[in-house]
Amino acid sequence: MAQLWGGRFTKETDRNVYLFNASIEFDKRLYKEDITGSMAHAKMLEKQKIITTEERDAILKGLEGILTDVESGALEITDQYEDIHSFVEANLISRIGDAGKKLHTGRSRNDQVALDMKLYVREQIGEIDSLLLQFQKILYRIMEENLDTYMPGFTHLQKAQPVTLAHHMSAYFEMFVRDRSRLSDISVRMNTCPLGAGALAGTTYPLDRECTASLLEFIEPTRNSMDSVSDRDYVIELLSALSTIMMHLSRFSEEVILWNSNEYGFIEIDDAYSTGSSIMPQKKNPDIAELVRGKTGRVYGSLMSMLTTMKGIPLAYNKDMQEDKEGTFDAIDTVKECLMMFMQMIDTMKFKKDVMAQSAVNGFTNATDAADYLVKRGMPFRDAHEVIGRLVLACIEKHKSIDEMTLSELKEISDTFDEDIYEAVSLETCVQKRLTTGAPGVEAMKKTLATYKSYLNENIS
Ligand code: ARG
């Protein structure tokens, strides 16, 4: 047990207490951030003449060596250390001796861990954002290829009005636009550097906090030292944004599961992205989609647990806050894995265009257009709604769709109907005449795609 404290104690920590208290098992993933923060701190200490140039150089060389050895596997991070900060410091001291003992001047593990976590979250936000961008590019390709792939649009899971596959995919594209903008808002808001806040009340050493902030590419140092070490808002905001991403992925998953069912049969999931049954040879299961839907729960769980952990903590740092890590790491890993798996499944999926179009023609998805036809011939919409309601009832009795009714059958319902009704309620007309901004008609969708194209070009990373 290598600990950073001990002077005040006369007895060793109980082994189980040590293990209960330790965070090395999960904060070891912050080794790079811890070393990066320490390097910036050492540079600033030298600039402020708190340590000598030789001491700084020794520290930087020692830290670089630790980083290289951890990455090559030559140096293992073991539970001999309480946390990643103790691990790095103890290794530094054993490599460079006394100069290593000066690194912690004007610093506390409280501002150190706040910094490490911010650096980590900031980097992960970038990675999740580029996964979302990659997914949007796949959706864009599907949209371009399916501007006139007709399918039913649903409300209450009942066929409502026909749309296109491009239009349907565009709805998810929009969700991911908002998800990405949430991530970017968070990365701006959280981009202040807590280093130099010390344990809670700053320090008497003449630290240059602006210097460390700029070395670490933060906009500026945090303004209040107590807030600096006890703020985990950005973790909560991230978990909330991740929960929303999972909620979107989960809805998408639900649709893939439905579309893959025998009843819908809209899609064929690629063999590489589906699984079979150990007993039923005919099965091809949408396991990826089901797992993504299922994993949504654990990301929501991390958000709830962090909100609950933080709610009763008096200022400033308290050990409760060590609980920020496991849930956040798990949520980040889960979202990244789900995004990767899900987008590959979507990218390789085949859409059965005929089945989709066939499904769009039955189920009276053109009933609204039939009512609009009567309105265009002078009938008030409320009356037209009533007439078409009666028409649908008659169709159900005759087991026919609206366009299968003969003109005389239609005229029995209302003599406003004429030959041109068939054109007016055809699948093509129903979709193509919908040209308002954001609507599924090809010309409207082309405009939407043009805005996506410039959005994606601006976002080439
Ligand atoms: N492992 C701790 C954490 O994750 C590091 C900070 C410890 N500070 C302290 N005063 N015990 O929050």
Side-chain angles (χ1 to χ4, degrees):
M1 304 195 290
Q3 294 179 145
L4 293 176
W5 38 272
R8 189 195 181 290
F9 290 76
T10 51
K11 240 168 117 180
E12 282 258 306
T13 319
D14 176 271
R15 176 79 188 149
N16 288 332
V17 170
Y18 175 80
L19 292 174
F20 184 64
N21 196 44
S23 52
I24 190 83
E25 201 194 311
F26 44 87
D27 68 17
K28 63 180 170 200
R29 78 156 82 186
L30 298 176
Y31 72 88
K32 205 168 70 202
E33 288 72 16
D34 202 72
I35 291 173
T36 308
S38 293
M39 285 178 160
H41 187 62
K43 286 179 193 166
M44 182 276 297
L45 289 177
E46 189 270 345
K47 179 180 159 289
Q48 297 304 96
K49 306 211 178 338
I50 300 167
I51 59 173
T52 66
T53 307
E54 294 69 42
E55 286 166 341
R56 177 202 61 191
D57 292 344
I59 291 173
L60 293 182
K61 198 158 165 270
L63 289 171
E64 255 161 44
I66 296 172
L67 184 61
T68 316
D69 291 351
V70 169
E71 298 205 314
S72 72
L75 178 60
E76 205 194 330
I77 308 176
T78 65
D79 75 356
Q80 191 195 345
Y81 305 93
E82 182 190 330
D83 55 27
I84 190 63
H85 326 296
S86 327
F87 165 83
V88 173
E89 196 176 318
N91 266 279
L92 183 67
I93 295 168
S94 77
R95 281 172 192 234
I96 67 164
D98 279 353
K101 294 184 182 164
K102 296 198 174 177
L103 173 63
H104 212 53
T105 313
R107 189 175 71 166
S108 152
R109 278 187 296 163
N110 297 352
D111 57 345
Q112 199 178 348
V113 77
L115 171 71
D116 292 2
M117 198 59 182
K118 269 196 171 178
L119 290 174
Y120 184 78
V121 164
R122 197 175 64 176
E123 164 116 10
Q124 292 301 317
I125 285 180
E127 288 189 16
I128 294 167
D129 184 66
S130 41
L131 286 173
L132 285 168
L133 173 62
Q134 238 175 290
F135 197 179
Q136 286 179 314
K137 287 179 183 163
I138 292 170
L139 293 179
Y140 183 82
R141 198 254 313 146
I142 298 174
M143 285 187 262
E144 261 191 326
E145 291 170 5
N146 290 286
L147 282 168
D148 54 7
T149 303
Y150 301 117
M151 64 180 286
F154 297 83
T155 62
H156 314 276
L157 210 50
Q158 299 201 37
K159 289 181 192 175
Q161 289 171 346
V163 293
T164 64
L165 180 58
H167 191 246
H168 200 114
M169 290 296 148
S170 150
Y172 285 102
F173 191 99
E174 292 292 336
M175 293 178 222
F176 299 137
V177 168
R178 294 193 296 275
D179 285 334
R180 295 186 61 207
S181 101
R182 261 184 284 277
L183 290 177
S184 116
D185 288 349
I186 299 166
S187 61
V188 172
R189 199 167 21 255
M190 65 169 280
N191 210 6
T192 53
C193 184
L195 195 59
L200 76 162
T203 171
T204 54
Y205 295 102
L207 302 191
D208 181 349
R209 296 194 57 214
E210 278 69 18
C211 168
T212 33
S214 103
L215 285 172
L216 295 164
E217 290 169 22
F218 285 100
I219 301 167
E220 56 190 1
T222 48
R223 274 190 299 266
N224 179 289
S225 57
M226 291 178 87
D227 182 48
S228 310
V229 292
S230 50
D231 164 32
R232 295 294 181 275
D233 291 8
Y234 64 95
V235 173
I236 292 172
E237 285 192 57
L238 173 71
L239 291 172
S240 162
L242 296 185
S243 295
T244 308
I245 293 171
M246 288 305 292
M247 179 270 290
H248 289 152
L249 286 182
S250 185
R251 295 183 73 177
F252 207 161
S253 295
E254 175 67 14
E255 299 211 290
V256 168
I257 294 160
L258 286 171
W259 293 351
N260 182 66
S261 68
N262 300 130
E263 284 69 21
Y264 279 69
F266 285 4
I267 52 167
E268 174 86 40
I269 301 177
D270 192 85
D271 281 359
Y273 293 95
S274 54
T275 48
S277 155
S278 61
I279 175 168
M280 296 165 285
Q282 82 279 19
K283 286 281 186 123
K284 216 176 138 182
N285 296 328
D287 284 25
I288 292 181
E290 289 170 11
L291 267 174
V292 169
R293 189 177 58 182
K295 283 176 189 289
T296 303
R298 61 199 283 169
V299 177
Y300 289 4
S302 296
L303 171 63
M304 281 308 126
S305 103
M306 199 55 208
L307 282 167
T308 314
T309 295
M310 292 304 292
K311 84 176 181 54
I313 305 186
L315 291 178
Y317 178 84
N318 294 262
K319 188 78 169 190
D320 317 39
M321 281 149 74
Q322 178 167 292
E323 284 294 305
D324 63 352
K325 289 174 199 64
E326 285 159 289
T328 305
F329 295 161
D330 184 74
I332 288 171
D333 295 346
T334 303
V335 167
K336 284 164 77 177
E337 201 186 12
C338 288
L339 275 170
M340 273 184 293
M341 286 293 127
F342 196 82
M343 78 169 97
Q344 284 161 18
M345 178 188 65
I346 297 289
D347 198 23
T348 51
M349 181 180 275
K350 297 270 171 301
F351 294 95
K352 297 192 210 155
K353 300 186 184 190
D354 295 350
V355 180
M356 292 174 125
Q358 193 48 45
S359 171
V361 285
N362 56 45
F364 304 104
T365 57
N366 52 2
T368 316
D369 296 81
D372 289 342
Y373 168 90
L374 296 175
V375 171
K376 281 174 197 145
R377 268 147 203 80
M379 193 182 284
F381 182 78
R382 199 42 63 211
D383 295 340
H385 187 286
E386 155 78 26
V387 169
I388 301 300
R390 280 192 282 113
L391 170 61
V392 167
L393 206 57
C395 287
I396 292 170
E397 275 164 16
K398 292 175 197 281
H399 302 288
K400 283 182 169 183
S401 61
I402 295 177
D403 36 309
E404 283 166 350
M405 297 286 268
T406 63
L407 191 55
S408 64
E409 284 172 324
L410 291 172
K411 280 192 177 290
E412 271 173 40
I413 308 280
S414 162
D415 59 5
T416 311
F417 286 119
D418 227 322
E419 229 4 282
D420 54 355
I421 176 65
Y422 297 106
E423 227 261 272
V425 298
S426 79
L427 185 56
E428 288 73 23
T429 313
C430 289
V431 176
Q432 301 311 351
K433 288 267 166 73
R434 291 189 148 73
L435 293 173
T436 40
T437 303
V442 173
E443 290 314 312
M445 267 309 292
K446 277 187 180 160
K447 287 185 194 153
T448 306
L449 280 186
T451 66
Y452 291 166
K453 188 163 198 157
S454 42
Y455 168 90
L456 292 174
N457 284 338
E458 277 167 27
N459 280 281
I460 299 293
S461 41

